[in-house]
Amino acid sequence: MTRKISTGVGSLAVRVRGQGPPAVLWHSLFVDERSWGRVEEEWSTERRVVSITGPGHGASEDPGRRYTTTECAAAAGTVLDELGVDEPVDWVGNAWGGHVGIVFATDAPSRCRTLVTLGTPVQALNRAERARTIFLLSAHRMLGPVGFIRSGVANVLLSATTRERDPEAVALVEDCLVRADRAALRNAVVSISLHRPDLTGRLPGLPVPTLFVTGSDHKGWTPEQARAASRLVPHGSCAVVDGAAYLVPLEAPAETTDLVRRFWAASVPGYT
């Protein structure tokens, strides 16, 4: 079931599948909820999976102004209120979704039971990353999602192995770019990527079991960085997925499903 829910960052598309304890999914920038397609069905056999499409992506609206990760986390709370979810959720976020999850778990700790971040750098963009993002934004504004922009984004989000062996994953990333409202997508990238705060200071205050997952080929969030972040969290751990980059649930669905299930089993009393 998919519905639109009004929030402080616009009307967001929300898909709910399955029954059981609630798990919230929030995707990466540049792609929409379809990036969960290879793992969502598996989790929904045992969970009530709430997949939130972020502003400016998919069928979700753009708020018509700049917005913050904190506002996105508050919007997730609004979604849960509207759905009548009053028990703590297990949050699974990919890149952008992981940033929102870190803020959600620290700002509303009673609403979050566990946190999984997939391919989520906690530091702000470095100078080279900012320059590359600004160039792509400028080119996108002038030309739209032309070939070199689509391939440039795919080259960052997907590992070389994925790009070579998984044309379906490449096609999904490019289709998300083609379908997206151009101005709304740029607003999301400026709001969430260019203005992304360093979240390192929040990590010691994360009160929930937290798993940082990154791909071995993720140049913006290396295994060493992920392990260092996990050591700052009172109940933190880390896992590395070989041959993946940013979009771990799309690139390595079987391993992602298994990692998350094992983490839940170790962290959630009574989970089997």
Side-chain angles (χ1 to χ4, degrees):
M1 177 187 71
T2 301
R3 58 186 288 190
K4 298 286 282 292
I5 295 177
S6 180
T7 77
V9 290
S11 180
L12 302 185
V14 179
R15 182 171 63 206
V16 181
R17 300 180 64 180
Q19 300 292 327
V24 174
L25 311 183
W26 189 301
H27 57 86
S28 171
L29 280 170
F30 297 106
V31 296
D32 55 37
E33 75 286 344
R34 289 177 290 161
S35 61
W36 296 109
R38 295 175 173 180
V39 298
E40 186 179 13
E41 185 173 353
E42 283 291 318
W43 289 333
S44 67
T45 62
E46 60 204 41
R47 291 302 186 97
R48 184 187 184 193
V49 177
V50 178
S51 179
I52 302 174
T53 303
H57 290 68
S60 290
E61 295 178 356
D62 176 75
R65 59 172 178 80
R66 298 283 186 257
Y67 50 93
T68 67
T69 304
T70 298
E71 289 180 292
C72 291
T78 300
V79 167
L80 296 175
D81 289 341
E82 186 68 21
L83 295 176
V85 177
D86 55 8
E87 61 186 294
V89 304
D90 297 302
W91 187 286
V92 184
N94 185 192
W96 178 18
H99 299 135
V100 180
I102 290 170
V103 174
F104 182 81
T106 50
D107 283 357
S110 65
R111 305 203 73 170
C112 190
R113 182 167 61 171
T114 66
L115 171 63
V116 178
T117 76
L118 302 161
T120 301
V122 299
Q123 75 278 7
L125 294 184
N126 62 36
R127 184 174 300 177
E129 291 168 333
R130 287 184 60 84
R132 181 179 63 210
T133 301
I134 291 170
F135 169 76
L136 286 173
L137 283 169
S138 299
H140 185 270
R141 181 177 292 105
M142 291 186 293
L143 304 172
V146 295
F148 80 90
I149 292 176
R150 298 197 306 272
S151 62
V153 172
N155 288 350
V156 171
L157 298 184
L158 302 172
S159 71
T161 300
T162 300
R163 298 195 305 273
E164 178 183 350
R165 300 180 183 178
D166 193 349
E168 184 178 276
V170 177
L172 187 145
V173 171
E174 294 193 354
D175 188 60
C176 288
L177 289 169
V178 169
R179 291 193 187 194
D181 179 277
R182 296 180 185 183
L185 179 61
R186 290 194 299 272
N187 189 34
V189 174
V190 172
S191 297
I192 299 301
S193 186
L194 285 183
H195 290 138
R196 184 175 84 213
D198 188 328
L199 295 176
T200 306
R202 285 185 178 256
L203 301 186
L206 273 172
V208 300
T210 302
L211 173 64
F212 295 91
V213 181
T214 194
S216 61
D217 296 354
H218 194 327
K219 294 181 175 59
W221 187 233
T222 65
E224 292 76 18
Q225 289 173 308
R227 292 187 187 101
S230 71
R231 291 193 289 268
L232 296 176
V233 178
H235 304 287
S237 57
C238 177
V240 178
V241 177
D242 287 335
Y246 266 91
L247 301 184
V248 179
L250 178 64
E251 298 182 84
E255 188 163 356
T256 300
T257 301
D258 183 58
L259 277 171
V260 172
R261 277 180 165 156
R262 286 193 281 116
F263 172 69
W264 284 341
S267 304
V268 179
Y271 180 84
T272 58

